[in-house]
Amino acid sequence: MDKPLDKSQSPEHTPDKPKDENQSFQHIVDKQSKDKSQSVKHKLDEESQQTSVNITTPDITGRKRTIALILLSIIIFLVTAMFAVLAPFFPTLAVERNVNHFEIGLIFAVYPATNFLFSPICGLILPQVGVTFVLFIGILIESCCSLIFGFLPHILDNTTFVTFCFITRGIQGIGFASYQTASLAMTSTIFTDNVAAATSTLEAFGAIGYMIGPTLGGALYEAGGFKLPFLVIGSSMLGFGCIAIFFLPRIQHKNTSAPTTLMKKLLSFPRVLLMCSGVTLLMIIFGVLDVSIALHLKPFHLSPSVLGLFFLPLTIAYGVFSPIFGYLSDRWGYRWFIIGGCFGLGIALIFIGPAPFLPIPLSVGQSIPSMAVCGAGAAALLTPLYGDILASALVKLKGHVETEKADDDHFATICVVSGVFSAFNALGQVLGPIIGGIAITSASITFDWTTSVSNFTNYRL
């Protein structure tokens, strides 16, 4: 009989290691694992510091935000007032200098044209050179060109006079593109939770500038001649620009993607293009009203001053309702205000005509309330559009790239959206007078049909 195998001789049995040796080995493994985990954690912390959202606005209190918004609002008021200040007296002076109407139209049109061309460029360079720098350069260009424009009547040769008017207004449009794009980007960055409310405040002051500009320009022209409007507004603009450079916050950031790449991706999103087309369409409607409302009301034989009052209900309603709709849309969502603005604007356009299919005669009593509703509808439509475009762009771009990279590109996206929004806005300002002029000169197209077609396009949006 075979002897049973001893456990120590069994092939399946491994002699136990001493207890102390096992504990020592386990302690070494645990220590190495702990050191490794701490090393990995430290490395991840360093990477997270490098790849986290790098849009910092140091020491920006609520008081500093308020000061920044006030300064930006005052400057946008002066800029838009300068844009509108030419209307009461420059065409008369130009005709006296034997400048034809086509050349006068070019002098007015070159401003939004250069604004349209350079706004995307400003959006691309903002992340590279800084918001405050571009903003101040825009103010400097605007104010200097305004001061220069006041001295242009001293040029005796008419061709040289027209050429310098054209060049000065074109460069001034570049300044406005720089300021508008930079101010939108700065406002969106420091008011991240109230984008529509903050930008709508700028819109309201801009509307006030457009409204008061002609009246202010006419009063200053009568008081001190051609130079005075440009000297007063231009020097005020330069003074507030110098003040703003010391009080506006410095925004620190970094971006990992080229702004051109972000802009290409942005313009490939259908929703963004749809919203941008809404901005252009609204500006076209305003441009058509500008050039054609006077001829539309010609049967009433109204004076130019009374005709000018027809735009007051639109401008006042837009200026009053823009901050209100901006504040509410930040809390209740942008989309419903955009839809409501489209319907309100469409109804107003039907009654401004009035539309050919309505058995309503044209009357002053019907036109004035319609213009007011048009302004309120435009405020409900345009005010949330920028916030909606920005929100859509941030969500879409974040879904196309890694989260860390999308966070780093947050500020660059804001800058690109600001440039694109300003460009589509200026495009409507260019196309509106052209379309309105074609409608006026065409015998088969009347004002009521023009507003009706605009209304149909607005509803399709």
Side-chain angles (χ1 to χ4, degrees):
M1 178 180 290
D2 295 333
K3 295 181 180 181
L5 289 174
D6 191 284
K7 288 184 179 182
S8 62
Q9 297 176 353
S10 173
E12 298 179 358
H13 178 77
T14 303
D16 293 336
K17 294 181 180 180
K19 187 175 181 181
D20 293 342
E21 185 181 350
N22 276 338
Q23 290 177 348
S24 176
F25 179 77
Q26 186 66 35
H27 177 71
I28 293 172
V29 171
D30 291 343
K31 184 177 181 182
Q32 289 178 347
S33 177
K34 184 177 181 181
D35 291 343
K36 186 177 180 181
S37 64
Q38 288 178 347
S39 176
V40 171
K41 183 180 179 182
H42 180 69
K43 185 177 180 181
L44 289 174
D45 288 341
E46 289 181 346
E47 290 178 355
S48 66
Q49 289 175 0
Q50 296 173 357
T51 58
S52 60
V53 181
N54 280 278
I55 305 174
T56 59
T57 50
D59 301 327
I60 298 186
T61 61
R63 179 173 174 270
K64 290 184 178 180
R65 286 188 175 93
T66 303
I67 292 174
L69 187 61
I70 290 173
L71 287 172
L72 293 174
S73 300
I74 292 173
I75 295 172
I76 195 66
F77 163 77
L78 294 171
V79 170
T80 52
M82 178 54 66
F83 174 78
V85 80
L86 292 176
F89 56 87
F90 181 77
T92 304
L93 174 69
V95 170
E96 293 175 356
R97 296 288 300 265
N98 296 320
V99 180
N100 60 51
H101 291 283
F102 177 73
E103 292 171 335
I104 295 174
L106 286 179
I107 292 171
F108 276 88
V110 69
Y111 186 101
T114 54
N115 183 11
F116 165 68
L117 294 174
F118 281 87
S119 288
I121 298 174
C122 293
L124 294 176
I125 66 173
L126 274 176
Q128 312 299 330
V129 300
V131 179
T132 307
F133 177 77
V134 175
L135 189 142
F136 181 72
I137 290 298
I139 297 171
L140 186 64
I141 292 173
E142 270 276 356
S143 56
C144 290
C145 287
S146 301
L147 296 173
I148 292 171
F149 203 92
F151 291 91
L152 291 184
H154 290 283
I155 300 175
L156 299 179
D157 182 68
N158 285 344
T159 303
T160 308
F161 170 73
V162 172
T163 303
F164 272 89
C165 287
F166 187 81
I167 293 173
T168 306
R169 288 285 285 181
I171 298 175
Q172 204 171 9
I174 298 174
F176 183 71
S178 303
Y179 175 77
Q180 185 181 37
T181 305
S183 62
L184 282 174
M186 178 172 287
T187 306
S188 304
T189 304
I190 64 178
F191 292 94
T192 52
D193 297 328
N194 301 283
V195 173
T199 54
S200 65
T201 303
L202 300 183
E203 290 286 340
F205 275 84
I208 295 171
Y210 283 121
M211 179 176 62
I212 296 179
T215 305
L216 180 62
L220 292 174
Y221 177 77
E222 292 179 356
F226 188 87
K227 294 179 187 177
L228 191 59
F230 301 96
L231 293 177
V232 171
I233 300 178
S235 58
S236 301
M237 198 186 308
L238 184 60
F240 277 103
C242 294
I243 294 173
I245 201 71
F246 293 103
F247 286 95
L248 292 179
R250 303 296 185 269
I251 300 171
Q252 300 174 1
H253 65 92
K254 76 173 185 176
N255 54 288
T256 56
S257 297
T260 52
T261 304
L262 293 175
M263 183 169 288
K264 289 178 182 178
K265 290 179 180 178
L266 179 68
L267 294 176
S268 67
F269 301 144
R271 178 173 177 79
V272 172
L273 288 177
L274 181 65
M275 296 297 101
C276 289
S277 65
V279 177
T280 302
L281 176 61
L282 182 60
M283 293 299 108
I284 289 175
I285 291 172
F286 283 167
V288 170
L289 291 176
D290 281 339
V291 300
S292 57
I293 191 69
L295 292 176
H296 178 59
L297 298 174
K298 192 175 180 179
F300 298 108
H301 304 288
L302 303 174
S303 64
S305 59
V306 174
L307 283 173
L309 294 176
F310 268 83
F311 288 96
L312 282 180
L314 188 152
T315 311
I316 293 173
Y318 182 81
V320 169
F321 284 100
S322 286
I324 296 174
F325 290 141
Y327 176 83
L328 295 177
S329 63
D330 279 328
R331 283 146 183 79
W332 297 346
Y334 303 125
R335 195 165 303 179
W336 290 110
F337 285 90
I338 294 173
I339 295 172
C342 287
F343 276 95
L345 186 61
I347 293 172
L349 291 174
I350 289 177
F351 285 93
I352 287 176
F357 52 81
L358 291 179
I360 301 175
L362 176 64
S363 66
V364 174
Q366 153 241 318
S367 299
I368 293 177
S370 299
M371 292 289 280
V373 175
C374 185
L381 172 60
L382 186 61
T383 300
L385 269 177
Y386 175 76
D388 188 74
I389 294 171
L390 180 58
S392 300
L394 291 173
V395 171
K396 292 287 186 180
L397 291 174
K398 194 167 185 176
H400 280 65
V401 297
E402 298 175 358
T403 302
E404 294 85 358
K405 189 175 180 182
D407 289 338
D408 286 335
D409 292 336
H410 187 98
F411 179 73
T413 303
I414 291 175
C415 296
V416 169
V417 169
S418 300
V420 170
F421 181 85
S422 300
F424 277 89
N425 192 312
L427 178 61
Q429 293 177 1
V430 174
L431 295 178
I434 295 174
I435 295 174
I438 293 173
I440 290 172
T441 55
S442 176
S444 59
I445 303 176
T446 58
F447 180 84
D448 51 359
W449 276 112
T450 304
T451 53
S452 298
V453 171
S454 301
N455 169 55
F456 173 77
T457 310
N458 177 64
Y459 278 127
R460 293 292 294 175
L461 173 66

